[in-house]
Amino acid sequence: QVTLVESGGGLVQAGDSLRLTCTASGRTIKDYNVGWYRQASGKAREFVAGIFWSGAETRYADSVKGRFSIFRHNAKNTVYLQMNSLKPEDTAVYYCNADPPYEVWGQGTLVTVSS
């Protein structure tokens, strides 16, 4: 089973951009469909974006379509989430996991968008 670690979160202002990185260890990431998920304070974790193992297909939650982009670099064992035009409602802890996700989750990376 692959271990995925998230990084790249931070505090930004509304309208700013941020790129999150998901790095794999243990196994090569190219064998997996990967998803980004997020959990805002007091809310359930939700799906944000997913990418097929080859990168040929992607899918997005309606709330982020047109603003977020998921892509991968299998040779670097990484999957990225490019987030543009950030809104305060994007504030959450962001996680990467398989798509569909495994039961075990990493620590995530906190994204805070101020208005």
Side-chain angles (χ1 to χ4, degrees):
Q1 183 170 323
V2 66
T3 299
L4 302 176
V5 178
E6 308 89 349
S7 63
L11 172 63
V12 297
Q13 294 186 333
D16 285 351
S17 297
L18 203 59
R19 179 177 293 181
L20 304 183
T21 300
C22 174
T23 303
S25 63
R27 290 190 63 177
T28 177
I29 204 170
K30 71 176 179 63
D31 296 331
Y32 296 86
N33 301 336
V34 175
W36 281 97
Y37 308 81
R38 67 186 181 186
Q39 186 168 22
S41 181
K43 296 186 177 181
R45 186 178 287 131
E46 63 177 358
F47 170 82
V48 175
I51 187 166
F52 198 56
W53 67 271
S54 65
E57 295 182 18
T58 58
R59 61 192 187 103
Y60 298 91
D62 288 343
S63 59
V64 306
K65 277 182 183 177
R67 299 188 299 121
F68 289 13
S69 178
I70 186 171
F71 58 102
R72 64 193 301 157
H73 195 313
N74 286 339
K76 293 185 177 181
N77 238 17
T78 55
V79 173
Y80 304 94
L81 184 68
Q82 178 66 39
M83 307 185 294
N84 299 326
S85 302
L86 282 161
K87 303 176 180 180
E89 50 263 44
D90 295 317
T91 295
V93 178
Y94 284 72
Y95 303 87
C96 63
N97 203 326
D99 181 15
Y102 295 130
E103 292 185 358
V104 177
W105 294 82
Q107 292 189 336
T109 186
L110 176 63
V111 174
T112 303
V113 185
S114 64
S115 58

